[in-house]
Amino acid sequence: MQIRLASVMVDDQDKALQFYTAVLGLVKNKDTLMGTFRWLTGSSPDGAKGVELVLEPMAFLPAQTYQKALFTAGIPATAFPTSNVNAEYGRLKALGVHFRGEPKSIGAITAVLFEDTCGNLINLVQPAA
């Protein structure tokens, strides 16, 4: 068994595509019209081959409620590992990404939360060496 897809719910697929590609640096993989929404995926040029992030349209009311509850509670929708959290934090902050604090050591990781402009918190994480 393999995990090839992970999803984040987004309030606007165009806005999400712009943020996840132009700001975070993902590469768009698939962009296929499926009814009123799109099958929209991207991947990290530095990530595992074949793994894609689905920018999932949030048209289902319970999903909207769940996303808002996570955001309000400060719970990340997902985490993105990096080998240098401080450098990535600086790069993204210079691009205007809104962080909730600064990188902080939390046991076996150093982490910091940022907002993805689409209603999600993302945890930027560097595992301890």
Side-chain angles (χ1 to χ4, degrees):
M1 180 179 353
Q2 297 179 350
I3 296 173
R4 294 282 179 139
L5 299 171
S7 297
V8 291
M9 302 300 287
V10 298
D11 58 5
D12 180 306
Q13 286 184 300
D14 289 322
K15 180 174 65 172
L17 181 62
Q18 173 66 23
F19 179 80
Y20 279 85
T21 58
V23 177
L24 296 186
L26 271 61
V27 175
K28 181 173 72 169
N29 290 335
K30 299 187 181 67
D31 189 351
T32 305
L33 189 60
M34 300 196 63
T36 57
F37 299 106
R38 295 152 50 198
W39 178 252
L40 186 58
T41 71
S43 62
S44 170
D46 301 326
K49 184 178 172 122
V51 175
E52 297 177 77
L53 182 67
V54 182
L55 302 177
E56 199 76 58
M58 195 171 39
F60 186 52
L61 185 57
Q64 295 169 16
T65 302
Y66 179 68
Q67 184 199 47
K68 185 175 181 177
L70 286 176
F71 190 87
T72 301
I75 299 171
T78 192
F80 294 158
T82 180
S83 61
N84 189 333
V85 73
N86 290 313
E88 196 66 20
Y89 168 81
R91 181 185 79 80
L92 294 174
K93 193 164 180 81
L95 291 171
V97 173
H98 182 261
F99 282 89
R100 293 203 173 174
E102 296 181 0
K104 188 183 317 184
S105 179
I106 309 165
I109 63 170
T110 300
V112 62
L113 287 175
F114 68 87
E115 298 179 13
D116 76 349
T117 74
C118 304
N120 300 297
L121 293 174
I122 308 293
N123 205 9
L124 185 63
V125 177
Q126 178 183 337

